[in-house]
Amino acid sequence: QVQLVESGGGLVQAGGSLRLSCAASGSIFSINTMGWYRQAPGKQRELVATISSGGITNYADSVKGRFTISRDNAKNTVWVDMNSLEPEDTAVYYCNALLRTQRWSSDASYWGQGTQVTVSS
């Protein structure tokens, strides 16, 4: 069993900052990529940021320069530091991991339960 548990969501003022964290646990051999996605009401889920096991990052244009994604491979954790938050950032944020549970298995995608981020103006 694999679990991804997010924390750090909440209400923040526009222009403020917030850190979201995600910890992966369970039967894990290795994690390829970890990242964050978000979904606003009535919209499709979209990529926020990803980071590979080697530290290569990828950001959505809408958050580039404001958000920073990081990970700790030893702890199977990933977090994103969100700065200069805007009301448009309001969404449910989901942690994602592309990982394998065994040396000989293929990569599979796992999702957290989501955490609400609300940015007030």
Side-chain angles (χ1 to χ4, degrees):
Q1 298 287 350
V2 175
Q3 271 198 105
L4 274 62
V5 179
E6 303 106 330
S7 62
L11 176 65
V12 65
Q13 297 272 91
S17 299
L18 202 64
R19 171 178 285 188
L20 303 182
S21 299
C22 174
S25 62
S27 182
I28 299 171
F29 175 75
S30 63
I31 302 178
N32 184 338
T33 304
M34 302 187 79
W36 292 93
Y37 296 73
R38 67 187 182 187
Q39 187 167 24
K43 295 187 175 182
Q44 295 192 130
R45 190 172 300 186
E46 65 177 357
L47 180 147
V48 176
T50 62
I51 182 167
S52 73
S53 60
I56 305 301
T57 58
N58 180 41
Y59 296 93
D61 288 341
S62 60
V63 308
K64 198 169 298 180
R66 300 188 297 122
F67 292 10
T68 302
I69 188 169
S70 306
R71 68 186 284 175
D72 185 333
N73 291 334
K75 296 181 178 180
N76 290 336
T77 60
V78 63
W79 61 96
V80 58
D81 291 306
M82 306 185 294
N83 301 311
S84 301
L85 284 163
E86 305 164 353
E88 293 73 26
D89 295 315
T90 296
V92 177
Y93 284 70
Y94 296 90
C95 179
N96 174 262
L98 184 65
L99 60 84
R100 58 184 64 196
T101 59
Q102 301 286 345
R103 165 68 176 84
W104 52 87
S105 66
S106 300
D107 287 346
S109 184
Y110 292 83
W111 293 91
Q113 80 286 351
T115 185
Q116 177 71 46
V117 171
T118 302
V119 183
S120 62
S121 60

